[in-house]
Amino acid sequence: MTQTSRIPLSVLDLSPIIQGGSVSQSFAHSRELAILAERLGYHRYWLAEHHSMEGIASSATAVLIGYIAGVTEKMRVGAGGIMLPNHAPLTIAEQFGTLATLYPNRIDLGLGRAPGTNQETALALRRDEHDSARNYQANVHELQGYFDDENPAKPIKAIPGQGLKVPLWLLGSSLYSAQLAAKMGLPFAYAAHFTPDLLMQALEVYRREFVPSAALSKPYAMVCLNVIAADNHLQAERLFSSVQLHFANMIRGKPGPLPPPVDDVTKELAKHELYSVNHTLSLSIVGDKEDVRDGLQNLLQETGVDEIMINGQIFDHQARLRSFELIADIAPELGSA
């Protein structure tokens, strides 16, 4: 009989701001969700960097990671991710060196190549187009070097940071990130929650081209999905309508706070909007516990990923907490051959 091992489930939190809500409320909700996630056995809790977006409060990502790490005890906490083109690598090394010193063996640093914002805001963040996404690979190498053991010959040091070997992940929605993660021997996380099309290709490229490194001896792939669970399927579909409406607003060029759910999303969106939204969200898993269990198990069988990260943006905070509780309930039933 084939033995199975339990697949780690983790949490992605954008610290969403809901319509009529506030940033302070979003932070309080993230705090409560993180405490619950640790109690329920989620493996890691990541926060994502975005800027100039009225519906996302996690712009100062390292600061918020420190806040969440401070109210939890054992769960890994980190960035999913830091958008490296927005920052000097030394700055990120010092920030995450500080976090790793305060919370030893608990901090992850996931790196992304996109700015996580519009072009004007990206320029305001970095102010220098020369050191942009085109230099991403060099910046990753530079950042990695700051976490290496102390070298007296190096004129620039990350203090704190040097010698801490903060775990780096490469995040992506393209083949480029998969190839670079493989080349550098780093773990890879694919953003299937908003870019489903290249998932299988990216995983295949990553595994085929992986080169063992000091950080990782064999490929380790994680996929991030939108997963919303409720006590019945209709309730879950209604909760999911907030996500559909949110993406539709972005397509319209009018991003904003997370909207409340509606009973029938087809009455709110034009046919072309609904088609585009449903394609973007096509790998989402929505339903009751049985629906979610079957959806996650099917995904595991198709992809063979080593870990699943759950993005569950829900307007009602109590319903969001309930969703993560229901998902945790079926976690012991999930396994990889």
Side-chain angles (χ1 to χ4, degrees):
M1 182 176 178
T2 303
Q3 292 185 339
T4 61
S5 58
R6 178 172 171 175
I7 289 291
L9 297 183
S10 296
V11 179
L12 177 68
D13 182 14
L14 306 183
S15 200
I17 305 169
I18 64 171
Q19 282 188 16
S22 66
V23 171
S24 60
Q25 179 189 58
S26 298
F27 291 156
H29 287 171
S30 289
R31 179 184 188 276
E32 189 173 355
L33 176 59
I35 292 171
L36 176 68
E38 181 169 65
R39 180 169 62 81
L40 294 174
Y42 283 92
H43 183 52
R44 62 183 99 238
Y45 193 103
W46 280 5
L47 295 134
E49 176 187 352
H50 293 77
H51 299 280
S52 197
M53 293 189 179
E54 296 178 9
I56 298 176
S58 54
S59 55
T61 317
V63 177
L64 197 52
I65 288 169
Y67 174 60
I68 295 301
V71 298
T72 52
E73 296 179 358
K74 297 179 180 180
M75 182 172 60
R76 299 196 67 86
V77 184
I82 291 295
M83 301 298 106
L84 192 52
N86 295 338
H87 312 280
L90 178 60
T91 299
I92 299 305
E94 291 171 340
Q95 290 176 359
F96 279 78
T98 300
L99 289 168
T101 302
L102 291 170
Y103 308 103
N105 302 314
R106 291 185 57 203
I107 300 299
D108 298 323
L109 176 48
L111 301 171
R113 188 166 63 106
T117 187
N118 56 49
Q119 187 174 3
E120 294 81 5
T121 305
L123 186 59
L125 284 163
R126 193 63 184 265
R127 297 185 181 276
D128 183 2
E129 286 190 85
H130 172 69
D131 211 358
S132 66
R134 290 170 293 184
N135 301 303
Y136 179 62
Q137 182 175 346
N139 286 335
V140 174
H141 278 289
E142 181 184 343
L143 175 59
Q144 192 174 40
Y146 289 128
F147 294 129
D148 286 344
D149 292 331
E150 183 176 0
N151 180 353
K154 288 180 66 174
I156 303 173
K157 297 177 174 63
I159 302 173
Q162 63 179 7
L164 294 182
K165 304 292 196 322
V166 175
L168 298 186
W169 289 67
L170 293 193
L171 319 182
S173 56
S174 69
L175 301 186
Y176 173 86
S177 298
Q179 289 173 320
L180 183 58
K183 178 181 178 180
M184 296 186 67
L186 294 174
F188 174 61
Y190 186 86
H193 56 303
F194 65 89
T195 49
D197 294 340
L198 293 177
L199 170 61
M200 299 306 294
Q201 286 178 267
L203 292 176
E204 194 276 330
V205 166
Y206 172 63
R207 289 165 177 151
R208 184 185 70 234
E209 300 185 10
F210 183 84
V211 178
S213 69
L216 199 62
S217 61
K218 62 181 181 179
Y220 191 95
M222 176 164 64
V223 62
C224 183
L225 300 170
N226 299 301
V227 184
I228 292 181
D231 292 310
N232 62 71
H233 187 84
L234 286 178
Q235 182 185 0
E237 290 284 358
R238 186 175 188 276
L239 295 174
F240 184 57
S241 68
S242 289
V243 182
Q244 294 171 296
L245 293 172
H246 178 66
F247 273 86
N249 287 337
M250 289 194 287
I251 291 170
R252 294 166 177 165
K254 298 178 180 178
L258 186 68
V262 295
D263 291 329
D264 187 355
V265 73
T266 64
K267 295 181 179 179
E268 307 294 328
L269 304 179
K271 286 185 178 180
H272 71 279
E273 292 175 326
L274 189 62
Y275 175 84
S276 180
V277 166
N278 286 343
H279 176 77
T280 300
L281 303 174
S282 60
L283 291 182
S284 301
I285 298 173
V286 180
D288 59 20
K289 277 205 298 189
E290 288 71 27
D291 296 326
V292 171
R293 180 196 61 213
D294 293 345
L296 290 175
Q297 194 62 59
N298 289 338
L299 176 104
L300 287 170
Q301 291 173 355
E302 292 172 5
T303 65
V305 292
D306 302 285
E307 186 172 342
I308 296 174
M309 181 158 276
I310 307 298
N311 181 39
Q313 294 207 76
I314 297 175
F315 183 85
D316 180 82
H317 180 56
Q318 294 306 314
R320 190 181 188 210
L321 297 179
R322 177 62 175 159
S323 178
F324 279 98
E325 287 178 341
L326 292 169
I327 296 166
D329 284 347
I330 57 98
E333 302 175 51
L334 303 174
S336 63

